[in-house]
């Protein structure tokens, strides 16, 4: 603490050495500040209060049918953005402020000055929609004219902005509706083309691919069964004819007939099942060993079917031997003709059923191909329907919003955006509201004293002088061997007193002049107010 006090005392001593330059700077700044305070022109303020009524009886009635804009928010935003460059330029032209601005630089300075002096504030609570418009100028007539022009722009801008928004919204909705109409037509065309390419997905019977495949499989199996039955009947007729022919020939023995009949009798159904099982057995044997349960089961089925085939052949042979046809009789030719006729009929029936089997086989193959493509086609059709539904929904919403926007525009045109009520018309104050010369004069005195102190401090730092041995030792970091003191004479002491008196009178005169000026200014202001 002692060292800090010592440093402050050293600084004060150095500043005291340059007190006269500081005092001169204080006088110069004080005189300049006083001149500025008294030269600054008076400024008058004009103001107007306007109330914006955003309530309308039609809006609650049309709620849910029309898009009701937030009028309060629009007016609030308009009040915040009203002081923009285009509006200020329009204001300058309306108030004839641009008559004196001849050059471009003068116009820019005028716009900046008007923008700086304009003010739009909410009077009281912002929810009351009460706005205060004010402007300050050196002329009360000009300030009043500017406020009146600003009030006109404020009222016109709200209506123009609302109409512009409605027009822009209607144009945007019409453009979007046309776009969605095109998209909707394209989506409908894609669905139509898909249905024409894939008629199996939209058949009238309402059956899916799996049902059609099952039906085709059942029909094919039934047709194959009928074909096997017809082939068995045909083979029996053919065997009967061959038997009758052998019997009619001499030297035909019963043993030879039995051998031939065993070769002629056939069981195509069992043969086909045995062949299918053998093919499956071959495939399994390529993958598994003979001890695999599936292979053992198939071998057992093959043995059972072969035994069943042998039994059926034996039954056919017994039936042929039990009904022998006598040979050499007069009715042999008639019997042969009847058998030939039966055989021909069976051949025709076999051909017909074989054609049916081929047709059902083609249908079954087509159904198999369809069921393989069915998931992909159904997925594509679902995607087309999804896109179509989305586009249709957006299109309908756009149409509804266009109707709502049209109704909202008609509502705004009927009821208006807001009702502007001028509470206080534009009026300029008869007395200047600025500048506050009393405060400015006090600030000028403070600035003058501060300028003197700063000048003395700067001079002491530029040409420093050491007044203490400790400070000298600390700065130079060298040992001090001794000090030579100066012996003051009575003349020196008298000169110091005279100098101190002069400094006191000069500095006191500056403060006194400012004090007198402040007192006189206060009296003058009070008289004007009275």
């Amino acid at each position: 603490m002692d060292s800090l006090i010592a440093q402050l005392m050293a600084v004060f001593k150095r500043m005291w050495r340059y007190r006269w330059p500081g005092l001169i700077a204080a006088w110069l700044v004080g005189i300049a500040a006083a001149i500025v305070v008294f030269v600054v022109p008076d400024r008058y303020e004009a103001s107007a209060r306007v109330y914006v009524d955003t309530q309308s009886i039609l809006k609650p009635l049309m709620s849910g049918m029309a898009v009701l804009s937030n009028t309060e928010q629009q007016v609030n935003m308009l009040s915040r953005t009203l002081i923009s460059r285009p509006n200020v330029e329009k204001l300058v032209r309306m108030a004839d402020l641009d008559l004196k601005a001849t050059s471009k630089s003068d116009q820019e300075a005028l716009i900046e000055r008007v923008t700086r002096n304009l003010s739009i504030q909410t009077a009281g609570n912002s929810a009351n929609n009460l706005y205060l418009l004010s402007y300050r100028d050196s002329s009360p007539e000009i300030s009043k004219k500017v406020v009146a022009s600003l009030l006109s722009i404020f009222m016109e801008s709200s209506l123009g902005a609302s109409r512009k928004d409605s027009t822009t919204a209607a144009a945007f909705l019409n453009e979007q509706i046309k776009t969605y109409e095109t998209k909707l037509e394209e989506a409908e065309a894609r669905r139509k083309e898909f249905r024409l390419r894939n008629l199996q997905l939209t058949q009238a019977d309402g059956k899916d691919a799996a049902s059609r495949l099952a039906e085709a499989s059942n029909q094919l199996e039934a047709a194959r069964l009928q074909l096997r039955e017809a082939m068995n009947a045909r083979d029996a007729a053919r065997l009967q004819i061959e038997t009758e022919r052998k019997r009619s020939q001499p030297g035909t023995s019963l043993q030879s007939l039995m051998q031939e009949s065993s070769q002629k009798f056939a069981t195509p159904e069992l043969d086909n099942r045995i062949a299918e099982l053998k093919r499956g057995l071959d495939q399994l044997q390529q993958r598994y060993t003979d001890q695999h349960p599936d292979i053992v089961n198939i071998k057992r089925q093959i043995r059972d079917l072969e035994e069943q085939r042998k039994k059926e052949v034996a039954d056919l042979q017994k039936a042929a031997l039990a009904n022998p046809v006598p040979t050499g009789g007069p009715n042999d030719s008639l019997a042969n003709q009847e058998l030939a006729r039966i055989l021909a009929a069976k051949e025709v029936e076999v051909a017909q059923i074989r054609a049916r089997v081929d047709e059902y086989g083609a249908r079954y193959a087509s159904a198999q191909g369809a069921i393989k493509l069915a998931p992909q086609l159904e997925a594509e059709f679902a995607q087309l329907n999804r896109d179509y539904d989305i586009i249709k929904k957006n299109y309908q919403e756009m149409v509804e919003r266009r109707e709502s926007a049209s109704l909202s525009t008609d509502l705004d045109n009927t009821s208006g955006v807001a009702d502007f009520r001028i509470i206080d018309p534009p009026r300029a104050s008869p007395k200047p509201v600025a500048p506050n010369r009393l405060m400015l004069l006090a600030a000028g005195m403070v600035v003058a004293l501060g300028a003197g102190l700063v000048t003395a401090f700067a001079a002491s730092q530029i040409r420093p002088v050491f007044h203490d041995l400790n400070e000298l030792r600390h700065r130079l970091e060298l040992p001090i061997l001794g000090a030579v003191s100066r012996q003051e004479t009575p003349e020196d002491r008298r000169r110091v007193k005279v100098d101190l008196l002069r400094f006191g009178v000069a500095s006191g005169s500056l403060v006194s002049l400012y004090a007198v000026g402040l007192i006189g200014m206060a009296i003058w202001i009070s008289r004007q107010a009275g």
Side-chain angles (χ1 to χ4, degrees):
M1 188 66 183
D2 294 337
S3 61
L4 179 60
I5 295 175
Q7 291 178 3
L8 292 176
M9 292 299 297
V11 171
F12 178 74
K13 289 179 181 179
R14 286 196 294 270
M15 291 176 61
W16 180 257
R17 181 179 177 83
Y18 298 97
R19 59 188 178 278
W20 287 107
L23 182 60
I24 295 172
W27 270 95
L28 293 177
V29 173
I31 294 172
I35 294 173
V36 170
V37 168
F38 287 101
V39 169
V40 173
D42 294 331
R43 301 186 65 81
Y44 298 87
E45 183 180 50
S47 62
R49 287 196 305 166
V50 57
Y51 173 71
V52 183
D53 187 8
T54 58
Q55 302 298 324
S56 175
I57 191 172
L58 288 177
K59 291 183 178 180
L61 295 177
M62 300 301 294
S63 178
M65 298 178 62
V67 179
L68 302 179
S69 58
N70 192 343
T71 310
E72 296 180 358
Q73 185 178 1
Q74 290 181 358
V75 174
N76 189 14
M77 184 59 65
L78 178 62
S79 65
R80 296 175 183 271
T81 59
L82 183 62
I83 305 178
S84 60
R85 185 176 180 86
N87 290 335
V88 172
E89 292 178 353
K90 183 178 179 180
L91 178 63
V92 167
R93 292 191 297 268
M94 291 178 63
D96 298 330
L97 299 179
D98 57 341
L99 298 178
K100 297 181 181 180
T102 57
S103 62
K104 187 175 181 180
S105 58
D106 294 339
Q107 293 179 357
E108 293 294 332
L110 177 62
I111 292 174
E112 292 181 0
R113 178 170 59 84
V114 173
T115 303
R116 185 172 58 253
N117 293 325
L118 279 175
S119 174
I120 299 179
Q121 299 176 353
T122 56
N125 190 2
S126 60
N128 295 331
N129 292 334
L130 187 62
Y131 296 92
L132 177 64
L133 286 66
S134 61
Y135 177 73
R136 289 186 178 184
D137 193 83
S138 58
S139 173
E141 291 79 9
I142 292 177
S143 60
K144 180 179 179 181
K145 193 173 183 180
V146 170
V147 171
S149 302
L150 182 62
L151 182 61
S152 300
I153 294 175
F154 182 43
M155 299 173 64
E156 293 174 358
S157 298
S158 61
L159 299 177
S162 176
R163 293 172 182 173
K164 183 178 179 181
D165 291 341
S166 301
T167 304
T168 304
F172 174 77
L173 289 175
N174 289 328
E175 182 179 357
Q176 292 298 317
I177 288 174
K178 291 181 180 179
T179 303
Y180 274 100
E181 283 180 353
T182 304
K183 292 181 179 180
L184 190 61
E185 292 175 357
E186 293 176 355
E188 291 175 349
R190 287 194 297 268
R191 292 181 64 194
K192 180 180 178 181
E193 292 176 359
F194 183 84
R195 287 180 174 178
L196 292 176
R197 289 196 311 266
N198 306 278
L199 293 176
Q200 63 271 20
L201 291 181
T202 57
Q203 289 181 352
D205 55 2
K207 297 179 180 179
D208 56 358
S211 300
R212 288 192 292 272
L213 179 63
E215 182 179 359
S217 176
N218 294 333
Q219 292 176 350
L220 179 60
E221 292 296 330
R224 286 177 177 175
L225 180 58
Q226 292 177 1
L227 178 61
R228 288 194 294 269
E229 292 174 352
M231 290 177 65
N232 289 336
R234 182 198 62 185
D235 294 339
R238 185 179 296 170
L239 179 61
Q240 187 68 24
I241 291 175
E242 292 295 333
T243 303
E244 292 297 332
R245 187 178 301 168
K246 293 292 184 178
R247 288 179 179 178
S248 63
Q249 294 178 1
T252 302
S253 63
L254 181 61
Q255 183 68 24
S256 61
L257 288 174
M258 292 181 64
Q259 291 177 355
E260 290 178 359
S261 64
S262 63
Q263 295 175 357
K264 294 294 184 177
F265 286 111
T267 55
E269 182 180 359
L270 296 176
D271 293 341
N272 291 334
R273 292 176 61 186
I274 292 172
E276 291 179 359
L277 290 175
K278 287 184 177 181
R279 286 195 296 269
L281 180 61
D282 293 338
Q283 295 178 358
L284 292 175
Q285 286 179 345
Q286 293 177 2
R287 299 168 58 186
Y288 306 108
T289 61
D290 293 339
Q291 287 76 22
H292 194 273
D294 293 341
I295 295 177
V296 174
N297 188 21
I298 291 176
K299 286 182 177 181
R300 181 181 56 79
Q301 292 179 3
I302 291 174
R303 288 196 301 270
D304 294 341
L305 291 175
E306 287 178 349
E307 291 177 358
Q308 184 179 357
R309 183 181 61 179
K310 291 179 181 180
K311 290 180 180 180
E312 290 184 1
V313 171
D315 292 339
L316 291 174
Q317 290 177 353
K318 290 179 181 180
L321 292 177
N323 297 313
V325 180
T327 59
N331 295 327
D332 287 345
S333 59
L334 295 175
N336 290 332
Q337 291 177 2
E338 182 65 21
L339 290 175
R341 186 184 64 79
I342 294 173
L343 178 61
K346 295 300 181 181
E347 290 287 352
V348 172
E349 184 180 0
V350 168
Q352 292 176 350
I353 297 176
R354 181 175 286 112
R356 191 182 307 167
V357 170
D358 294 339
E359 175 63 22
Y360 287 153
R363 293 183 184 180
Y364 180 75
S366 176
Q368 279 187 328
I371 200 171
K372 292 180 181 178
L373 294 177
Q376 180 180 356
L377 296 178
E378 290 176 358
E380 292 180 3
F381 191 63
Q383 180 66 34
L384 291 176
N385 287 332
R386 184 162 52 250
D387 295 341
Y388 174 77
D389 293 338
I390 292 174
I391 295 174
K392 184 177 180 180
K393 180 181 178 182
N394 293 337
Y395 173 75
Q396 292 176 349
E397 289 181 356
M398 287 293 178
V399 173
E400 292 176 358
R401 292 183 181 181
R402 181 180 63 181
E403 297 300 326
S404 180
S406 177
L407 188 60
S408 301
T409 303
D410 297 338
L411 177 62
D412 291 338
N413 293 333
T414 302
S415 62
V417 178
D419 185 13
F420 290 85
R421 301 176 186 176
I422 300 177
I423 305 300
D424 292 331
R427 185 177 64 87
S429 59
K431 298 178 182 179
V433 295
N436 191 346
R437 301 184 190 276
L438 186 63
M439 294 297 296
L440 291 179
L441 193 61
M445 182 180 67
V446 174
V447 171
L449 296 177
L453 294 175
V454 170
T455 302
F457 178 76
S460 65
Q461 295 297 319
I462 294 174
R463 298 183 64 184
V465 176
F466 298 101
H467 297 275
D468 187 69
L469 293 178
N470 294 328
E471 183 181 3
L472 180 62
R473 185 183 299 107
H474 179 70
R475 291 293 183 90
L476 298 179
E477 296 181 355
L478 293 174
I480 298 176
L481 301 179
V484 179
S485 61
R486 181 174 179 274
Q487 186 69 31
E488 292 183 356
T489 61
E491 183 66 23
D492 293 334
R493 286 192 293 272
R494 186 185 65 81
R495 189 184 305 110
V496 171
K497 291 181 181 180
V498 172
D499 183 72
L500 183 61
L501 180 62
R502 291 176 181 176
F503 181 76
V505 172
S507 58
S509 300
L510 178 62
V511 176
S512 299
L513 288 176
Y514 262 95
V516 172
L518 288 173
I519 295 172
M521 184 69 66
I523 296 172
W524 180 69
I525 292 175
S526 62
R527 287 181 178 179
Q528 280 190 341

